[in-house]
Amino acid sequence: MQHIRNFSIIAHIDHGKSTLADRLIHYCGGLSDREMEEQVLDSMDLERERGITIKAQTAALQYKAKDGQVYNLNLIDTPGHVDFSYEVSRSLSACEGALLVVDASQGVEAQTVANCYTAIEQNVEVVPVLNKIDLPAADPDNARQEIEDVIGVDASEAVLCSAKTGLGIEDVLETVVRRVPPPKGDPAAPLKALIIDSWFDNYVGVVMLVRVVDGVLRPKDRILLMANGAQYPCDQVGVFTPRSVPRTELSAGEVGFIIAGIKELQAAKVGDTVTLASRPAVEPLPGFKEIKPQVFAGLYPVESSEYDQLRDSLEKLRLNDASLQFEPEVSQALGFGFRCGFLGLLHMDIVQERLEREFDMNLITTAPTVVYEVVMNSGEVIHVENPSKLPDLSKVAEIREPIITATIFMPQEYVGPVITLCNLKRGVQVDMRYHGRQVQLIYDLPMNEVVMDFFDKLKSVSRGYASLDYEFKEYRAADLVKLDMMVGGEKVDALSVIVHRASAQYRGREVAAKLRSLIPRQMFDVAVQAAIGSHIIARETIKALRKNVLAKCYGGDISRKKKLLEKQKEGKKRMKQVGNVEIPQEAFLSVLRVDEGK
Amino acid sequence: MNERRIIPLAVAPAAGKASGDLPERPQLASPPPLALYVHYPWCVKKCPYCDFNSHAPRGGEIPEAAYIDALLTDLESALPQVWGRRVHSIFFGGGTPSLMSAQGLDRLLTGIRTLLPLDPMAEVTLEANPGTVEAARFRDFRAAGVNRLSLGIQSFDDRRLVRLGRIHGGDEARRAIDTALAHFERVNLDLMYALPEQTLAEALADLDTALAFGVTHLSCYHLTLEPNTPFAHEPPPLPDDDLSADMQEAIEERLAGAGFRHYETSAFAKPGQECRHNLNYWTFGDYLGIGAGAHGKLSSHAGIVREMRHKHPARYLEGAQRREFVQERREVGVAELPFEFMMNALRLTGGFPRRLFAERTGLPFAAIETELIAARQRGLVQVDGDEIRPSEQGRRFLNDLLTLFLRD
């Protein structure tokens, strides 16, 4: 056990985490040159394209250190995005150490700080690494200073490396051996293994990634899942290098996988403790806190006939993404679809993209919304995650919205615009600190303002330099109203949003204007209205089209004109009919993109 | 057949359901009227808006004699398909058929008359470019048997003509019309509006100039950017939708005032001067198409067939050696027939009498009943006794009306 080192890498997106991981794997011979593909740990196409890690992955490496001993290094990759921070804490719970990778040319970012604090809270040894020192803009001294100022970790011994060129990789590995403590645990005690992650594999069923805390597990042992008491015969144990390699046993201190012929992912809950049926542990390990979706949106198939296909696709996605929630929903405008719950906007984006890419779905997604607490006059409290489900306001005593505490990091020259943005979004400043050239702003913000377009706005006002982390703080009463959009006199339920009364007028006008520009002119004038209850607060008119006719239809050859009309018809099919009006898909997303900066 | 049955238009159609089951193949009682189309695939220069099958001749030489030989062989080998049927109209289109020599055209028309029974009153139209060279041949074209001339004027405004890539100027156009009218009673002028940077006043000025000549037929086309043309690749600055619509309305109004009937989407004629050849297309009649890339539609007891000749002139001429002319031939399925019929017939302001549908498609009227009810509910068609015609709204939004008849 003295030769085991379990560690993960904490880094902001783009600071080179995956590249560094690949380098370490390559150095230790985990993969041959031929197998070495860029960023092997990010195995989903989407992860590789976006350069983000969505789910934890691991690699067991053999490293012969300068002291002549061979060490088993278990690298557990962590996601770098705020939506997946719970995954980070899971990964860290399997580690004794974490490499804090900071881009030497950019310094510390908010995400890094948050994950670093998680690591410190979990008693994980934080080892600073300065990456990208080959860049001309690299400023290691400044980056060291920032690490000490912002995170409060001693960075004087920070390792310098360049994952891109391979410079300093051996130093990184040596530091892991030296600074990361070996795991503690008792191989002779009853088995206790924490499920860090689990996913569904089409060939072997559920695969559980575990950290063995005490005891030993071998194939043919009968395992017991402590949360539900279910028993399974263990088929196989092993490690990822990152390819899966079977082992004869997994012992205390090790990280590896268990395959036990489990068919439903729900049975192998992340955070549960695996023990032996023959000699069970007395108590399970402390698990993880349940994660709840924070952002909801309606997903509808463009072709209503693809509803069943959408349900199947969502079910398949959920096999590997227990945080995805969905339930059937009916919209007058969009037909049958699903109300889906996500961890955050990125998560929503990823699910949407996977549905489109891997399952070939054509989707309409409604504006994302948060969960409101609505206090009825009767005193009853209900949760509303769909604006069109908001009860009649005469029966409502109070609407409460979720407030988040946001930590934003940015170079000081962008402080002004970021503060302006936060204020515009009804934010309340909690704290502001200078760390060298970086500024840390802490704001309480209504979450619904954040899910609308805050990320995009923040990126644009800071030219991409600001980083954001947030956590839920509380529900707070606010003067909120439901803003309905009407097209041709018909309410379009899918376009309803809950907004603060103060911004309703502005938003109504903007959405109406946007719809006017997106809905093609029809055969008749179409009124686009925004309303709060029965009170119309904005109106636009889409002037009737004057004509839609082919000037020349050369009698002889009708084939091309026929194709043209077939195309027109095809285009109409992709629109949704509300009353007499055909509304294109983009219109449904327009509500999202109302620009408040202008 | 009970021709006077009233369509139960008050009955709402079953949601989303197309009209009833169709027979396996059309059952035509008798073949429809027959017309002959002759394609001449060369132009001096191809215009940037044109998507017709026209080519600038390689090396400037047009193999006229060989082409006329090929056309006559083409016709001869197609005769079995139209055996015994009289031809009511001939149309020489292109390209620029007026590039043909008068002797050539005379030989061609003589050949056609020898091979086909031509109605003594047949309308014989020739498309002509209003250039000086062509105008000199108008008299001989008339002598060869052409009795209707269609001039591709487009505009009288030199700047617009240059922008359209036309090879003639305004003055040349005026002289060509004078010459045409000296020899032909029936002359059509093709005009285009919504030209690059054109104003409403300019569009009307073109129309007034055309009207002043006293022609009896005008075709006024909204300039359309067709795919795969230079204009589509690099669109010129065109008047917007509203201005173009204003132009169209002003043009229609002025022509009505001048005694023209707006009988088809883009065609206007003095009473009795409608183009019979085009009317045959629009009433879903038959036509034999000969020449490079020519399209034909022919009905028989076995069904309705569309065919196309080899498109490229060189390929067509080469095929002629082996009497192989047809590049594509396919039977029109019963599911497509209602749409194809409507796509033509609803272009006519007067629409069509209900019996015509069965006569020309060989399908029962029930095949379009549901769609007609839907169209009427949306105010796009009018039913007046036995006559079915597009409403004012239906003519403006003909595409929306027609898509109702497209089956999935």
Side-chain angles (χ1 to χ4, degrees), chain A residues 315-332:
Chain A
E315 273 168 6
K316 279 188 191 135
L317 273 188
R318 190 161 58 181
L319 282 180
N320 277 325
D321 184 353
S323 55
L324 172 66
Q325 288 190 357
F326 59 89
E327 59 180 45
E329 171 179 85
V330 187
S331 151
Q332 282 155 2

Side-chain angles (χ1 to χ4, degrees), chain A residues 386-400:
Chain A
N386 182 346
S388 62
K389 299 271 164 64
L390 190 70
D392 188 64
L393 285 184
S394 63
K395 295 183 187 133
V396 171
E398 189 175 273
I399 305 176
R400 296 176 189 151

